[in-house]
Amino acid sequence: MEYSDKQLQIMEAAEFLFAENGFHGTSVRDIADKANINLAMVSYYFGSKEKLLEAIFSYRGESIKLKLESILQQQGMSSLEKVYLLVDHYIDKIMNRQHFHRILAREQVLNNSGPITDLILDMKRRNLEIISRLIHEGQEKGEFRKGIDIPMMMSVMVGTASNLITSKQYYKVLSNLEALPEEQFQQYIRDTLSKHLKFLFKTILTHEV
Amino acid sequence: MEYSDKQLQIMEAAEFLFAENGFHGTSVRDIADKANINLAMVSYYFGSKEKLLEAIFSYRGESIKLKLESILQQQGMSSLEKVYLLVDHYIDKIMNRQHFHRILAREQVLNNSGPITDLILDMKRRNLEIISRLIHEGQEKGEFRKGIDIPMMMSVMVGTASNLITSKQYYKVLSNLEALPEEQFQQYIRDTLSKHLKFLFKTILTHEV
DNA sequence: TTAATTCAAACAAACGTTTAATTAAATTTT
DNA sequence: AAAATTTAATTAAACGTTTGTTTGAATTAA
């Protein structure tokens, strides 16, 4: 699906507001104001507020697969190094798309069924498939141990990263980092998270339980 | 703060609906229907829908501290064993209060300020303080290594558990556990999560990075 | 008889969406 | 190349609902 500049302008405004105040906490009028467009344009372009959210999901969900595939096909690299690449790629993605990941974090908590739930499941399925292939490659090479609960491993990665980023305002206070400028704080989170996740994954993948 | 039976009845209905459909996705009329009370009683007892949510937060937030304290004071137990107790206690709490933890997971993503944000920060601060004391005890006894990032450790625990529980419908599908009855699935999550978190914490606390 | 509870009804405000008129852009015809 | 026509984009206003909250009378409990 292709989107015009005007549509992207609306989607970005909506993404910001949904992340900040939630879907139901954001009115179409809020979006129109933020995007500097007329109220009616949301319905005109997307049909409804709900479908606007779906558009955001499908737009942000698209660009995932490619980069992961390319990581998998790297030559002359151990499976663990590839896992490290994957971790950094995931952190990059979530850090660069913090608005969207706030929305995602909120939406996946809801017990709904519908297009959004399906899109989330698709995203998770795609991610799981890629990671599974990587883990199995490592197992066949004897690098990783057998009997790894891969969905659980994903929960550790996604959950830890998500928790840290979506509630970083709390992390900032609790770690006494309030003096740190926002940019440095972001870099700090990025580095600390990367280091910890790599350490955890190395342990999960190579040590026996 | 003490609550009457009628108030608790309203709070429980609201908790369920907020967890299922979100705060803004739930109307006062929905709550009144679910709790079998008149619409006006919400305002009568709590003042407003917002204050009802605050009441739920302060009510659920209260009962945390006591049990943790008692774990800390256990005699003849290694610090690692206490950490294990803490993990199981946390899993118990989150499993038994899934509705509330769904609300919590959603609310802490929002960038608001206000009473709820303050309550969440208080909860996190209390938890962090208890865990800090436990970790420091272990460090002084030489059981744990130095330089542990405790807020990060909490993010691993809270994030992983929260991710698993709030999005367990996805985990169920992705792990091919759809045939499992709900009760057994809950038990499976409980056990798997416990095992993994204990393993991770042992590694974080005793191994060098 | 006083106070606390419950109720149906009503309130204004905010909501998502639609309408019909207007302007801008693109396309076709002269 | 200009004019005419068609299509697309934009607008202010209005639509009917739903929202959270309040009211004032009726009922129950103290």
Side-chain angles (χ1 to χ4, degrees):
Chain A
M1 186 64 179
E2 284 285 307
Y3 295 104
S4 70
D5 287 354
K6 201 110 234 167
Q7 282 172 306
L8 288 174
Q9 178 185 342
I10 297 171
M11 284 161 74
E12 262 160 47
E15 186 183 49
F16 175 81
L17 291 169
F18 289 162
E20 209 75 4
N21 312 314
F23 177 74
H24 289 292
T26 304
S27 74
V28 180
R29 283 165 182 82
D30 293 337
I31 299 170
D33 283 356
K34 180 98 192 166
N36 282 314
I37 49 124
N38 186 276
L39 172 64
M41 300 308 285
V42 170
S43 290
Y44 179 74
Y45 276 124
F46 297 94
S48 70
K49 185 187 166 190
E50 182 80 32
K51 282 187 190 145
L52 167 57
L53 179 62
E54 288 168 30
I56 292 171
F57 263 85
S58 72
Y59 179 65
R60 292 296 189 205
E62 258 178 22
S63 60
I64 298 178
K65 195 165 184 181
L66 296 149
K67 194 152 186 187
L68 287 181
E69 286 282 5
S70 75
I71 289 177
L72 253 173
Q73 264 131 32
Q74 295 271 355
Q75 301 291 329
M77 206 180 236
S78 73
S79 293
L80 187 60
E81 283 170 325
K82 288 184 190 174
V83 169
Y84 285 175
L85 263 187
L86 191 139
V87 167
D88 279 330
H89 171 252
Y90 179 74
I91 293 175
D92 252 30
K93 211 189 62 184
I94 198 175
M95 292 293 289
N96 292 335
R97 296 272 175 254
Q98 291 187 38
H99 295 320
F100 176 66
H101 272 86
R102 276 176 189 272
I103 303 174
L104 181 62
R106 288 174 56 85
E107 284 301 317
Q108 73 182 342
V109 174
L110 294 182
N111 251 334
N112 287 339
S113 56
I116 305 261
T117 306
D118 294 345
L119 284 166
I120 294 178
L121 187 57
D122 276 356
M123 280 169 59
K124 282 178 180 276
R125 229 194 274 273
R126 277 205 301 268
N127 289 339
L128 182 68
E129 200 222 311
I130 304 265
I131 294 174
S132 290
R133 272 163 54 198
L134 179 46
I135 305 294
H136 291 144
E137 180 197 287
Q139 287 174 325
E140 278 160 27
K141 289 199 285 179
E143 240 183 289
F144 299 156
R145 66 179 182 84
K146 305 276 176 194
I148 289 164
D149 185 342
I150 302 179
M152 173 64 78
M153 220 184 91
M154 277 185 62
S155 262
V156 173
M157 177 169 87
V158 174
T160 304
S162 181
N163 182 272
L164 207 63
I165 276 142
T166 57
S167 61
K168 63 183 155 78
Q169 75 268 35
Y170 300 106
Y171 184 76
K172 196 168 191 174
V173 176
L174 296 177
S175 293
N176 298 312
L177 295 171
E178 283 166 290
L180 217 60
E182 181 61 18
E183 206 185 328
Q184 285 179 43
F185 175 60
Q186 298 266 351
Q187 192 57 48
Y188 175 82
I189 284 200
R190 209 183 268 265
D191 294 344
T192 314
L193 188 54
S194 169
K195 210 181 72 180
H196 272 258
L197 284 181
K198 285 174 187 169
F199 169 65
L200 289 183
F201 277 12
K202 185 183 174 185
T203 309
I204 293 175
L205 293 169
T206 61
H207 292 38
E208 293 294 326
V209 186
Chain B
M1 187 65 179
E2 284 284 306
Y3 296 104
S4 69
D5 287 354
K6 201 111 229 170
Q7 283 172 305
L8 289 174
Q9 179 184 341
I10 297 171
M11 284 160 74
E12 262 161 47
E15 186 184 48
F16 175 82
L17 291 169
F18 289 162
E20 208 74 4
N21 312 313
F23 178 74
H24 289 291
T26 304
S27 74
V28 180
R29 282 163 183 83
D30 293 337
I31 299 170
D33 283 357
K34 180 101 190 163
N36 281 314
I37 49 127
N38 186 275
L39 172 64
M41 301 308 284
V42 170
S43 290
Y44 178 74
Y45 277 124
F46 297 95
S48 71
K49 184 187 167 191
E50 181 80 30
K51 282 187 189 146
L52 167 58
L53 180 62
E54 289 169 28
I56 293 171
F57 263 85
S58 72
Y59 178 65
R60 291 296 187 206
E62 258 180 23
S63 61
I64 299 178
K65 195 165 185 181
L66 296 150
K67 194 153 186 185
L68 287 181
E69 286 283 4
S70 74
I71 289 177
L72 252 174
Q73 264 130 32
Q74 294 270 357
Q75 300 292 328
M77 206 178 236
S78 74
S79 293
L80 187 61
E81 283 170 325
K82 287 185 190 174
V83 168
Y84 285 176
L85 263 187
L86 190 138
V87 166
D88 278 330
H89 171 252
Y90 179 75
I91 293 175
D92 253 29
K93 212 189 62 185
I94 199 175
M95 292 292 289
N96 292 335
R97 296 271 174 254
Q98 292 187 37
H99 295 319
F100 175 67
H101 273 85
R102 276 176 189 272
I103 303 174
L104 181 61
R106 287 175 57 84
E107 285 300 318
Q108 74 183 339
V109 174
L110 294 182
N111 250 336
N112 287 338
S113 57
I116 305 262
T117 306
D118 294 346
L119 284 166
I120 294 178
L121 188 56
D122 276 356
M123 281 170 57
K124 283 179 180 274
R125 230 195 273 274
R126 278 205 301 268
N127 288 340
L128 182 67
E129 200 224 311
I130 305 266
I131 295 174
S132 290
R133 272 163 53 199
L134 179 47
I135 305 295
H136 291 143
E137 181 198 286
Q139 287 174 326
E140 276 159 29
K141 288 200 284 179
E143 241 184 287
F144 299 156
R145 66 178 182 86
K146 305 276 175 192
I148 290 163
D149 185 341
I150 302 179
M152 172 65 77
M153 220 185 92
M154 278 185 61
S155 262
V156 172
M157 177 169 87
V158 174
T160 304
S162 182
N163 183 273
L164 206 63
I165 277 142
T166 58
S167 60
K168 63 182 155 79
Q169 75 266 36
Y170 300 105
Y171 184 77
K172 197 169 191 174
V173 177
L174 296 177
S175 293
N176 298 313
L177 296 171
E178 283 165 292
L180 217 60
E182 181 61 18
E183 205 183 329
Q184 285 179 44
F185 175 60
Q186 297 265 350
Q187 192 57 48
Y188 174 81
I189 284 198
R190 210 182 269 265
D191 294 344
T192 315
L193 188 54
S194 170
K195 211 181 72 180
H196 272 258
L197 284 181
K198 285 174 188 169
F199 169 65
L200 288 183
F201 278 11
K202 185 183 174 185
T203 309
I204 292 175
L205 293 169
T206 62
H207 292 38
E208 293 295 327
V209 185

Coordinates of all heavy atoms in Angstrom, one line a residue, chain A residues 167 169-171 173-174, chain B residues 54 57-66 68-69 93 100 104 108 112 114-131 154 158:
Chain A
S167 N 8.4 2.9 29.5 CA 8.3 3.5 30.8 C 9.6 4.1 31.2 O 10.0 4.0 32.4 CB 7.8 2.5 31.9 OG 8.7 1.4 32.0
Q169 N 10.4 7.1 31.5 CA 10.3 8.2 32.4 C 10.5 7.7 33.9 O 11.1 8.4 34.7 CB 9.0 9.0 32.3 CG 7.8 8.4 32.8 CD 7.1 7.5 31.7 OE1 7.7 6.9 30.9 NE2 5.7 7.5 31.8
Y170 N 10.1 6.5 34.2 CA 10.2 5.9 35.5 C 11.7 5.5 35.7 O 12.3 5.7 36.7 CB 9.3 4.8 35.7 CG 7.8 5.1 35.6 CD1 7.1 4.7 34.5 CD2 7.2 5.8 36.6 CE1 5.7 5.1 34.4 CE2 5.8 6.2 36.5 CZ 5.1 5.8 35.4 OH 3.8 6.1 35.3
Y171 N 12.2 4.9 34.7 CA 13.6 4.4 34.7 C 14.6 5.5 35.0 O 15.5 5.4 35.7 CB 14.0 3.7 33.4 CG 15.3 3.0 33.4 CD1 15.6 1.8 34.1 CD2 16.4 3.6 32.7 CE1 16.8 1.2 34.0 CE2 17.6 3.0 32.7 CZ 17.8 1.8 33.4 OH 19.1 1.3 33.3
V173 N 14.0 8.3 36.6 CA 13.9 8.8 38.0 C 14.6 7.8 38.9 O 15.4 8.1 39.7 CB 12.4 9.0 38.4 CG1 12.3 9.3 39.8 CG2 11.8 10.0 37.5
L174 N 14.2 6.5 38.7 CA 14.7 5.4 39.6 C 16.2 5.2 39.5 O 16.8 4.7 40.4 CB 13.9 4.1 39.3 CG 12.4 4.2 39.6 CD1 11.7 2.9 39.2 CD2 12.1 4.5 41.1
Chain B
E54 N -8.3 5.9 39.9 CA -7.3 6.1 41.0 C -7.6 5.3 42.2 O -6.6 4.7 42.8 CB -7.4 7.6 41.4 CG -6.8 8.5 40.3 CD -7.1 10.0 40.6 OE1 -7.2 10.4 41.8 OE2 -7.2 10.8 39.6
F57 N -6.2 1.9 41.6 CA -4.8 1.8 41.7 C -4.3 1.9 43.1 O -3.4 1.1 43.5 CB -4.2 3.0 40.9 CG -3.7 2.7 39.5 CD1 -4.6 2.7 38.5 CD2 -2.4 2.3 39.3 CE1 -4.2 2.3 37.2 CE2 -2.0 2.0 38.0 CZ -2.9 2.0 37.0
S58 N -4.9 2.7 43.9 CA -4.4 2.8 45.3 C -4.8 1.6 46.1 O -4.1 1.1 46.9 CB -4.9 4.1 46.0 OG -6.3 3.9 46.2
Y59 N -6.0 1.0 45.7 CA -6.4 -0.2 46.4 C -5.5 -1.4 46.1 O -5.1 -2.1 46.9 CB -7.9 -0.6 45.9 CG -8.4 -1.8 46.5 CD1 -8.7 -2.0 47.9 CD2 -8.8 -2.9 45.7 CE1 -9.2 -3.1 48.4 CE2 -9.3 -4.1 46.2 CZ -9.5 -4.2 47.5 OH -10.0 -5.3 48.1
R60 N -5.2 -1.6 44.8 CA -4.3 -2.7 44.4 C -2.9 -2.5 44.7 O -2.1 -3.4 44.9 CB -4.4 -2.9 42.9 CG -5.8 -3.4 42.4 CD -6.1 -4.8 42.9 NE -7.3 -5.4 42.3 CZ -8.0 -6.3 42.9 NH1 -7.8 -6.7 44.1 NH2 -9.1 -6.7 42.3
G61 N -2.5 -1.2 44.8 CA -1.1 -0.9 45.1 C -0.8 -1.1 46.6 O 0.4 -1.2 46.9
E62 N -1.8 -1.1 47.4 CA -1.5 -1.2 48.9 C -0.9 -2.5 49.3 O 0.2 -2.4 50.0 CB -2.8 -0.9 49.6 CG -3.0 0.5 50.2 CD -4.3 0.6 51.0 OE1 -4.8 -0.4 51.4 OE2 -4.7 1.8 51.1
S63 N -1.4 -3.5 48.9 CA -1.1 -4.8 49.5 C 0.2 -5.4 49.1 O 0.5 -6.6 49.3 CB -2.2 -5.8 49.2 OG -2.3 -6.0 47.8
I64 N 1.0 -4.6 48.5 CA 2.3 -5.2 48.0 C 3.4 -5.3 49.1 O 3.9 -6.4 49.2 CB 2.8 -4.2 46.9 CG1 1.8 -4.1 45.7 CG2 4.2 -4.8 46.4 CD1 2.3 -3.2 44.6
K65 N 3.6 -4.3 49.8 CA 4.8 -4.2 50.6 C 5.0 -5.3 51.6 O 6.1 -5.9 51.7 CB 4.8 -2.8 51.3 CG 6.2 -2.5 51.9 CD 6.3 -1.0 52.3 CE 7.7 -0.7 52.7 NZ 7.9 0.7 53.1
L66 N 3.9 -5.6 52.3 CA 4.0 -6.5 53.5 C 4.7 -7.8 53.2 O 5.7 -8.2 53.9 CB 2.6 -6.8 54.0 CG 1.9 -5.5 54.5 CD1 0.4 -5.6 54.3 CD2 2.2 -5.3 56.0
L68 N 6.6 -8.8 50.8 CA 8.0 -8.6 50.4 C 8.9 -8.5 51.6 O 10.0 -9.0 51.7 CB 8.2 -7.4 49.4 CG 7.7 -7.6 48.0 CD1 7.9 -6.4 47.2 CD2 8.3 -8.8 47.4
E69 N 8.4 -7.6 52.5 CA 9.2 -7.4 53.8 C 9.5 -8.8 54.5 O 10.6 -9.0 55.0 CB 8.4 -6.5 54.7 CG 8.4 -5.0 54.3 CD 9.7 -4.3 54.6 OE1 10.7 -5.0 55.1 OE2 9.8 -3.1 54.4
K93 N 1.6 -12.7 42.1 CA 0.9 -11.5 42.2 C 0.3 -11.1 40.9 O -0.9 -10.7 40.7 CB 1.8 -10.4 42.8 CG 1.1 -9.3 43.6 CD 2.0 -8.2 43.9 CE 2.5 -7.5 42.6 NZ 3.5 -6.4 42.7
F100 N -5.8 -6.2 36.8 CA -5.1 -4.9 37.2 C -3.8 -4.7 36.5 O -3.5 -3.6 36.1 CB -4.9 -5.0 38.7 CG -4.1 -3.8 39.2 CD1 -4.6 -2.5 39.1 CD2 -2.8 -3.9 39.7 CE1 -3.9 -1.4 39.5 CE2 -2.1 -2.8 40.1 CZ -2.6 -1.6 40.0
L104 N -2.4 -1.6 34.4 CA -1.1 -1.0 34.8 C -0.1 -1.0 33.6 O 0.5 0.1 33.3 CB -0.4 -1.9 35.9 CG 0.9 -1.4 36.4 CD1 0.8 0.0 37.0 CD2 1.4 -2.4 37.5
Q108 N 1.1 2.7 32.2 CA 2.5 3.2 32.4 C 3.2 3.5 31.0 O 4.3 4.1 31.0 CB 3.4 2.2 33.1 CG 3.7 0.9 32.3 CD 4.5 0.0 33.2 OE1 5.1 0.3 34.2 NE2 4.5 -1.3 32.8
N112 N 1.6 10.7 30.6 CA 0.9 11.6 31.4 C 1.7 12.1 32.7 O 2.6 11.5 33.1 CB -0.4 11.0 31.9 CG -1.4 10.9 30.8 OD1 -1.3 11.6 29.8 ND2 -2.4 10.0 30.9
G114 N 0.2 13.1 36.7 CA -1.1 13.1 37.4 C -1.0 12.1 38.5 O 0.0 11.4 38.7
P115 N -2.1 11.9 39.2 CA -2.2 11.0 40.4 C -1.8 9.6 40.0 O -1.1 8.9 40.8 CB -3.6 11.0 40.8 CG -4.2 12.3 40.2 CD -3.4 12.5 39.0
I116 N -2.2 9.1 38.9 CA -1.9 7.7 38.5 C -0.4 7.5 38.3 O 0.2 6.5 38.7 CB -2.7 7.3 37.2 CG1 -4.2 7.6 37.4 CG2 -2.4 5.9 36.8 CD1 -5.0 6.4 37.7
T117 N 0.2 8.4 37.5 CA 1.6 8.4 37.3 C 2.3 8.4 38.6 O 3.3 7.6 38.8 CB 2.1 9.6 36.4 OG1 1.3 9.6 35.2 CG2 3.5 9.4 36.1
D118 N 1.9 9.2 39.5 CA 2.5 9.2 40.8 C 2.4 7.9 41.6 O 3.4 7.4 42.2 CB 1.9 10.4 41.7 CG 2.2 11.7 41.1 OD1 3.1 11.8 40.2 OD2 1.6 12.7 41.5
L119 N 1.2 7.3 41.5 CA 1.0 6.0 42.2 C 1.9 5.0 41.6 O 2.4 4.1 42.3 CB -0.5 5.6 42.1 CG -1.4 6.4 43.0 CD1 -2.9 6.2 42.6 CD2 -1.2 5.9 44.4
I120 N 2.0 5.0 40.2 CA 2.9 4.0 39.6 C 4.3 4.1 40.0 O 5.0 3.2 40.4 CB 2.7 4.1 38.1 CG1 1.3 3.7 37.6 CG2 3.8 3.2 37.4 CD1 1.1 3.8 36.1
L121 N 4.7 5.4 40.0 CA 6.1 5.7 40.5 C 6.4 5.2 41.9 O 7.4 4.6 42.2 CB 6.4 7.2 40.3 CG 7.9 7.6 40.5 CD1 8.8 6.8 39.6 CD2 8.1 9.1 40.3
D122 N 5.4 5.5 42.8 CA 5.5 5.0 44.1 C 5.6 3.5 44.2 O 6.5 3.0 44.9 CB 4.2 5.4 44.9 CG 4.3 6.8 45.5 OD1 5.4 7.5 45.3 OD2 3.3 7.3 46.0
M123 N 4.8 2.8 43.5 CA 4.8 1.3 43.4 C 6.2 0.9 43.0 O 6.8 0.0 43.6 CB 3.8 0.8 42.5 CG 2.4 0.7 43.1 SD 1.1 0.3 41.8 CE 1.7 -1.2 41.2
K124 N 6.7 1.4 41.9 CA 8.0 1.0 41.4 C 9.1 1.4 42.4 O 10.0 0.6 42.6 CB 8.3 1.7 40.1 CG 7.5 1.1 38.9 CD 7.8 1.9 37.6 CE 7.0 1.3 36.5 NZ 7.8 0.1 35.8
R125 N 9.0 2.5 43.0 CA 10.0 2.9 44.0 C 10.0 1.9 45.2 O 11.1 1.5 45.6 CB 9.7 4.3 44.5 CG 10.9 5.3 44.4 CD 10.6 6.5 45.3 NE 9.9 7.6 44.5 CZ 10.5 8.5 43.8 NH1 11.8 8.4 43.6 NH2 9.8 9.4 43.1
R126 N 8.8 1.6 45.7 CA 8.8 0.6 46.8 C 9.4 -0.7 46.4 O 10.2 -1.3 47.2 CB 7.3 0.4 47.2 CG 6.8 1.5 48.1 CD 5.6 0.9 48.9 NE 4.5 0.4 48.1 CZ 3.4 1.1 47.7 NH1 3.3 2.4 48.1 NH2 2.5 0.6 47.0
N127 N 9.0 -1.2 45.2 CA 9.6 -2.5 44.8 C 11.1 -2.4 44.6 O 11.8 -3.3 45.1 CB 9.0 -2.9 43.4 CG 7.5 -3.3 43.6 OD1 7.1 -3.6 44.7 ND2 6.8 -3.2 42.5
L128 N 11.5 -1.3 44.0 CA 13.0 -1.1 43.8 C 13.7 -1.1 45.1 O 14.8 -1.7 45.3 CB 13.2 0.2 43.1 CG 14.7 0.4 42.7 CD1 15.2 -0.6 41.7 CD2 14.9 1.8 42.2
E129 N 13.1 -0.5 46.1 CA 13.8 -0.3 47.4 C 14.0 -1.7 48.1 O 15.1 -2.0 48.6 CB 13.0 0.6 48.3 CG 13.8 1.2 49.5 CD 13.0 1.1 50.8 OE1 11.8 1.5 50.7 OE2 13.5 0.6 51.8
I130 N 12.9 -2.5 48.1 CA 13.0 -3.8 48.7 C 14.1 -4.7 47.9 O 14.9 -5.3 48.6 CB 11.6 -4.5 48.5 CG1 10.5 -3.7 49.2 CG2 11.7 -5.9 49.1 CD1 10.2 -4.0 50.5
I131 N 14.0 -4.7 46.6 CA 14.9 -5.5 45.9 C 16.3 -5.0 46.1 O 17.3 -5.8 46.2 CB 14.5 -5.5 44.4 CG1 13.2 -6.2 44.2 CG2 15.6 -6.2 43.5 CD1 12.6 -6.1 42.8
M154 N 15.1 -5.2 37.1 CA 13.6 -5.1 37.3 C 12.9 -5.1 36.0 O 11.8 -5.6 35.8 CB 13.2 -3.9 38.2 CG 13.4 -4.1 39.6 SD 12.8 -2.7 40.6 CE 11.1 -2.6 40.1
V158 N 9.9 -7.5 35.2 CA 8.6 -6.9 35.0 C 8.3 -7.0 33.5 O 7.2 -7.3 33.1 CB 8.6 -5.5 35.5 CG1 7.3 -4.8 35.1 CG2 8.8 -5.4 37.0

